[in-house]
Amino acid sequence: MSGPSTYNPKSGFERWLDVRLPLPRLLHDTIHTFPTPRNLNIWYTFGGILTFCLGIQIVTGVVLAMHYVANAGMAFDSVEAIMRDVNYGWLMRYMHSNGAVHVLPGRLYPYVPRSLLRLVQGAARTDLDHRRC
C-alpha cells in the first residue's frame, strides 16, 4: 500500500504490540483498507479452483500414462499394477477418475440438449429405482 498507514491503536496493549510487532497494523492495512475493484466477487474464486483441478488432472494423467500399457491383452494387468505396485498409484488413479467425473459433465452440459439430459437422467433414476426392489 502506498502512503502511510491509517491504523490507530486504541488501547495501551495494542500500542505496545504495534511498537514491538506491527502485526495488527499489517492486518489492518492488508485486509481492511486494501483497495479492491467494485466488480470483484466470490465467483472469481472458481477460476482458481478450476485451474487447480486442471493441474491435478494433467499431473495425475501423465503419471498414469507412464505406467499404463495400451494393449488389449495387458491393459487390465497394467491398471492392476498401477493400483498395487506403483507408490500411491491407487491415489493417483482415484484422484484422476474423481476429477474426470466432476469436471467432465460440467464441460459437456452446455453442448448437450436438455431433452437428452433429462432422458438420460430419467433413465438413470428409473434404473436405480428398479435396483432397490
Side-chain angles (χ1 to χ4, degrees):
M1 185 172 179
S2 62
S5 175
T6 59
Y7 177 71
N8 292 322
K10 294 178 179 53
S11 67
F13 177 73
E14 287 182 11
R15 284 190 292 276
W16 177 83
L17 185 64
D18 187 45
V19 170
R20 286 157 181 78
L21 179 69
L23 187 63
R25 180 178 302 272
L26 175 71
L27 291 175
H28 180 268
D29 291 342
T30 57
I31 294 174
H32 292 285
T33 59
F34 189 75
T36 57
R38 287 182 177 263
N39 63 347
L40 184 67
N41 57 28
I42 193 70
W43 294 105
Y44 283 94
T45 59
F46 287 111
I49 293 169
L50 286 175
T51 303
F52 178 73
C53 290
L54 178 65
I56 287 177
Q57 285 294 103
I58 291 171
V59 169
T60 57
V62 167
V63 170
L64 290 173
M66 287 190 293
H67 296 283
Y68 182 72
V69 177
N71 183 357
M74 300 176 64
F76 181 78
D77 294 334
S78 69
V79 171
E80 190 174 343
I82 289 170
M83 294 290 284
R84 292 184 181 185
D85 300 334
V86 176
N87 291 334
Y88 297 103
W90 58 273
L91 182 64
M92 293 289 175
R93 183 171 177 235
Y94 287 143
M95 285 173 57
H96 192 76
S97 65
N98 281 328
V101 164
H102 289 86
V103 172
L104 191 61
R107 297 297 302 161
L108 291 179
Y109 277 166
Y111 305 110
V112 177
R114 288 181 189 258
S115 58
L116 182 62
L117 285 175
R118 288 186 188 131
L119 179 69
V120 170
Q121 289 171 349
R125 286 189 192 128
T126 56
D127 187 37
L128 290 175
D129 291 338
H130 290 301
R131 288 185 196 169
R132 289 183 193 152
C133 297

PDB file of all heavy atoms in Angstrom, residues 38-50:
ATOM      1  N   ARG A  38     -14.707  -2.773  -7.609  1.00  0.00           N
ATOM      2  CA  ARG A  38     -16.111  -2.926  -7.217  1.00  0.00           C
ATOM      3  C   ARG A  38     -16.739  -4.194  -7.766  1.00  0.00           C
ATOM      4  O   ARG A  38     -17.631  -4.758  -7.158  1.00  0.00           O
ATOM      5  CB  ARG A  38     -16.927  -1.732  -7.706  1.00  0.00           C
ATOM      6  CG  ARG A  38     -16.674  -0.482  -6.930  1.00  0.00           C
ATOM      7  CD  ARG A  38     -17.580   0.620  -7.465  1.00  0.00           C
ATOM      8  NE  ARG A  38     -17.402   1.816  -6.698  1.00  0.00           N
ATOM      9  CZ  ARG A  38     -18.190   2.173  -5.700  1.00  0.00           C
ATOM     10  NH1 ARG A  38     -19.210   1.430  -5.381  1.00  0.00           N
ATOM     11  NH2 ARG A  38     -17.966   3.281  -5.045  1.00  0.00           N
ATOM     12  N   ASN A  39     -16.286  -4.649  -8.926  1.00  0.00           N
ATOM     13  CA  ASN A  39     -16.914  -5.818  -9.530  1.00  0.00           C
ATOM     14  C   ASN A  39     -16.294  -7.131  -9.080  1.00  0.00           C
ATOM     15  O   ASN A  39     -16.630  -8.174  -9.619  1.00  0.00           O
ATOM     16  CB  ASN A  39     -16.866  -5.718 -11.052  1.00  0.00           C
ATOM     17  CG  ASN A  39     -15.452  -5.711 -11.581  1.00  0.00           C
ATOM     18  OD1 ASN A  39     -14.509  -5.540 -10.826  1.00  0.00           O
ATOM     19  ND2 ASN A  39     -15.308  -5.876 -12.876  1.00  0.00           N
ATOM     20  N   LEU A  40     -15.413  -7.131  -8.108  1.00  0.00           N
ATOM     21  CA  LEU A  40     -14.807  -8.359  -7.605  1.00  0.00           C
ATOM     22  C   LEU A  40     -15.798  -9.039  -6.665  1.00  0.00           C
ATOM     23  O   LEU A  40     -16.322  -8.425  -5.747  1.00  0.00           O
ATOM     24  CB  LEU A  40     -13.516  -8.043  -6.862  1.00  0.00           C
ATOM     25  CG  LEU A  40     -12.726  -9.237  -6.361  1.00  0.00           C
ATOM     26  CD1 LEU A  40     -12.179 -10.014  -7.538  1.00  0.00           C
ATOM     27  CD2 LEU A  40     -11.613  -8.783  -5.470  1.00  0.00           C
ATOM     28  N   ASN A  41     -16.068 -10.324  -6.917  1.00  0.00           N
ATOM     29  CA  ASN A  41     -16.978 -11.056  -6.046  1.00  0.00           C
ATOM     30  C   ASN A  41     -16.478 -12.470  -5.850  1.00  0.00           C
ATOM     31  O   ASN A  41     -15.429 -12.865  -6.356  1.00  0.00           O
ATOM     32  CB  ASN A  41     -18.403 -11.037  -6.612  1.00  0.00           C
ATOM     33  CG  ASN A  41     -18.483 -11.587  -8.008  1.00  0.00           C
ATOM     34  OD1 ASN A  41     -17.685 -12.430  -8.395  1.00  0.00           O
ATOM     35  ND2 ASN A  41     -19.454 -11.112  -8.767  1.00  0.00           N
ATOM     36  N   ILE A  42     -17.254 -13.272  -5.139  1.00  0.00           N
ATOM     37  CA  ILE A  42     -16.834 -14.610  -4.752  1.00  0.00           C
ATOM     38  C   ILE A  42     -16.734 -15.545  -5.948  1.00  0.00           C
ATOM     39  O   ILE A  42     -16.004 -16.541  -5.903  1.00  0.00           O
ATOM     40  CB  ILE A  42     -17.788 -15.163  -3.674  1.00  0.00           C
ATOM     41  CG1 ILE A  42     -17.225 -16.414  -2.998  1.00  0.00           C
ATOM     42  CG2 ILE A  42     -19.154 -15.484  -4.265  1.00  0.00           C
ATOM     43  CD1 ILE A  42     -16.057 -16.154  -2.135  1.00  0.00           C
ATOM     44  N   TRP A  43     -17.429 -15.266  -7.029  1.00  0.00           N
ATOM     45  CA  TRP A  43     -17.431 -16.169  -8.179  1.00  0.00           C
ATOM     46  C   TRP A  43     -16.077 -16.217  -8.881  1.00  0.00           C
ATOM     47  O   TRP A  43     -15.789 -17.170  -9.604  1.00  0.00           O
ATOM     48  CB  TRP A  43     -18.514 -15.764  -9.172  1.00  0.00           C
ATOM     49  CG  TRP A  43     -19.879 -15.950  -8.585  1.00  0.00           C
ATOM     50  CD1 TRP A  43     -20.708 -14.978  -8.137  1.00  0.00           C
ATOM     51  CD2 TRP A  43     -20.554 -17.182  -8.339  1.00  0.00           C
ATOM     52  NE1 TRP A  43     -21.855 -15.514  -7.646  1.00  0.00           N
ATOM     53  CE2 TRP A  43     -21.791 -16.871  -7.758  1.00  0.00           C
ATOM     54  CE3 TRP A  43     -20.231 -18.510  -8.558  1.00  0.00           C
ATOM     55  CZ2 TRP A  43     -22.701 -17.844  -7.390  1.00  0.00           C
ATOM     56  CZ3 TRP A  43     -21.143 -19.480  -8.194  1.00  0.00           C
ATOM     57  CH2 TRP A  43     -22.356 -19.139  -7.625  1.00  0.00           C
ATOM     58  N   TYR A  44     -15.219 -15.238  -8.662  1.00  0.00           N
ATOM     59  CA  TYR A  44     -13.896 -15.244  -9.277  1.00  0.00           C
ATOM     60  C   TYR A  44     -12.997 -16.331  -8.688  1.00  0.00           C
ATOM     61  O   TYR A  44     -11.993 -16.690  -9.290  1.00  0.00           O
ATOM     62  CB  TYR A  44     -13.220 -13.891  -9.135  1.00  0.00           C
ATOM     63  CG  TYR A  44     -13.763 -12.872 -10.111  1.00  0.00           C
ATOM     64  CD1 TYR A  44     -14.783 -12.016  -9.754  1.00  0.00           C
ATOM     65  CD2 TYR A  44     -13.256 -12.795 -11.395  1.00  0.00           C
ATOM     66  CE1 TYR A  44     -15.291 -11.098 -10.658  1.00  0.00           C
ATOM     67  CE2 TYR A  44     -13.753 -11.887 -12.294  1.00  0.00           C
ATOM     68  CZ  TYR A  44     -14.764 -11.038 -11.917  1.00  0.00           C
ATOM     69  OH  TYR A  44     -15.270 -10.142 -12.807  1.00  0.00           O
ATOM     70  N   THR A  45     -13.330 -16.846  -7.519  1.00  0.00           N
ATOM     71  CA  THR A  45     -12.508 -17.902  -6.936  1.00  0.00           C
ATOM     72  C   THR A  45     -12.624 -19.205  -7.709  1.00  0.00           C
ATOM     73  O   THR A  45     -11.722 -20.038  -7.652  1.00  0.00           O
ATOM     74  CB  THR A  45     -12.903 -18.160  -5.480  1.00  0.00           C
ATOM     75  OG1 THR A  45     -14.281 -18.536  -5.429  1.00  0.00           O
ATOM     76  CG2 THR A  45     -12.678 -16.927  -4.632  1.00  0.00           C
ATOM     77  N   PHE A  46     -13.728 -19.395  -8.449  1.00  0.00           N
ATOM     78  CA  PHE A  46     -13.894 -20.640  -9.178  1.00  0.00           C
ATOM     79  C   PHE A  46     -12.876 -20.778 -10.313  1.00  0.00           C
ATOM     80  O   PHE A  46     -12.548 -21.897 -10.703  1.00  0.00           O
ATOM     81  CB  PHE A  46     -15.318 -20.767  -9.716  1.00  0.00           C
ATOM     82  CG  PHE A  46     -16.308 -21.073  -8.631  1.00  0.00           C
ATOM     83  CD1 PHE A  46     -17.237 -20.128  -8.244  1.00  0.00           C
ATOM     84  CD2 PHE A  46     -16.283 -22.300  -8.000  1.00  0.00           C
ATOM     85  CE1 PHE A  46     -18.132 -20.409  -7.238  1.00  0.00           C
ATOM     86  CE2 PHE A  46     -17.179 -22.588  -6.997  1.00  0.00           C
ATOM     87  CZ  PHE A  46     -18.106 -21.641  -6.611  1.00  0.00           C
ATOM     88  N   GLY A  47     -12.374 -19.698 -10.826  1.00  0.00           N
ATOM     89  CA  GLY A  47     -11.318 -19.781 -11.831  1.00  0.00           C
ATOM     90  C   GLY A  47     -10.058 -20.398 -11.250  1.00  0.00           C
ATOM     91  O   GLY A  47      -9.423 -21.258 -11.873  1.00  0.00           O
ATOM     92  N   GLY A  48      -9.709 -20.002 -10.044  1.00  0.00           N
ATOM     93  CA  GLY A  48      -8.557 -20.597  -9.378  1.00  0.00           C
ATOM     94  C   GLY A  48      -8.788 -22.056  -9.022  1.00  0.00           C
ATOM     95  O   GLY A  48      -7.884 -22.894  -9.146  1.00  0.00           O
ATOM     96  N   ILE A  49     -10.005 -22.376  -8.601  1.00  0.00           N
ATOM     97  CA  ILE A  49     -10.327 -23.760  -8.269  1.00  0.00           C
ATOM     98  C   ILE A  49     -10.247 -24.635  -9.513  1.00  0.00           C
ATOM     99  O   ILE A  49      -9.693 -25.738  -9.475  1.00  0.00           O
ATOM    100  CB  ILE A  49     -11.719 -23.836  -7.619  1.00  0.00           C
ATOM    101  CG1 ILE A  49     -11.713 -23.155  -6.253  1.00  0.00           C
ATOM    102  CG2 ILE A  49     -12.188 -25.280  -7.490  1.00  0.00           C
ATOM    103  CD1 ILE A  49     -13.082 -22.959  -5.656  1.00  0.00           C
ATOM    104  N   LEU A  50     -10.792 -24.157 -10.629  1.00  0.00           N
ATOM    105  CA  LEU A  50     -10.740 -24.939 -11.858  1.00  0.00           C
ATOM    106  C   LEU A  50      -9.315 -25.089 -12.378  1.00  0.00           C
ATOM    107  O   LEU A  50      -8.957 -26.135 -12.921  1.00  0.00           O
ATOM    108  CB  LEU A  50     -11.636 -24.304 -12.921  1.00  0.00           C
ATOM    109  CG  LEU A  50     -13.123 -24.500 -12.713  1.00  0.00           C
ATOM    110  CD1 LEU A  50     -13.908 -23.727 -13.765  1.00  0.00           C
ATOM    111  CD2 LEU A  50     -13.489 -25.955 -12.747  1.00  0.00           C
TER     112      LEU A  50
END
